[in-house]
Amino acid sequence: MSFIILLLPVVAIVLMFRSQKKRQQQMQQMQTSLEPGAGVRTIGGLYAQVKAVNDETVELEIAPGVVTYFTKSAIAAVLDPAEYDAIINGRPVEDELAEAEAEGADADVEPADEKPLTLTKDGAAEAAEGGAPASK
């Protein structure tokens, strides 16, 4: 009975080390498979596209013309092109196709006449004229 009590923690420790080693191997494989053009997510939650892969660093384009440098270990996941597109554009490609077809059917409906939002004081003054209280 005491043998089982001593053996149980040893087995638990071996299993923990084994799963940790497996995760490290998967991370290493993912980092070596990085290639330009792939969409990635960093450990900080930043979505970007790989522009170049160096020995220890990766060049990521976070916006058109904005390139940043990250270590390879900062890459949390390499995303499928469809998944990356869905995240960046906010919805899957299939939804965009369905919406384009629906817009073709609703072409006779006119959009509402709305003023664009502004963050200038002039916009606040115009809102104050309409009866809303003005901010200081």
Side-chain angles (χ1 to χ4, degrees):
M1 184 69 164
S2 65
F3 178 71
I4 293 175
I5 293 173
L6 293 174
L7 186 63
L8 189 61
V10 172
V11 170
I13 291 171
V14 168
L15 290 175
M16 286 190 307
F17 281 123
R18 184 175 167 209
S19 65
Q20 178 68 20
K21 187 175 180 179
K22 192 175 193 179
R23 272 188 261 133
Q24 285 176 345
Q25 288 175 344
Q26 288 175 341
M27 191 63 110
Q28 182 70 25
Q29 180 184 8
M30 186 257 324
Q31 289 174 358
T32 58
S33 69
L34 285 174
E35 57 186 31
V40 296
R41 183 182 70 238
T42 66
I43 58 174
L46 180 79
Y47 291 93
Q49 192 170 32
V50 176
K51 285 298 174 187
V53 180
N54 304 319
D55 292 336
E56 295 295 321
T57 61
V58 178
E59 295 177 23
L60 300 179
E61 185 176 36
I62 58 174
V66 180
V67 177
T68 58
Y69 297 87
F70 284 83
T71 62
K72 284 185 177 180
S73 62
I75 305 300
V78 177
L79 307 171
D80 296 327
E83 182 182 5
Y84 179 74
D85 187 52
I87 291 169
I88 296 302
N89 294 325
R91 59 181 172 219
V93 176
E94 296 85 21
D95 289 348
E96 290 179 6
L97 295 175
E99 185 177 297
E101 291 174 3
E103 286 178 1
D106 295 335
D108 59 334
V109 177
E110 294 184 21
D113 185 29
E114 296 180 11
K115 294 181 181 179
L117 295 176
T118 61
L119 299 175
T120 62
K121 290 185 178 182
D122 296 336
E126 290 174 10
E129 293 173 7
S135 61
K136 293 182 181 181

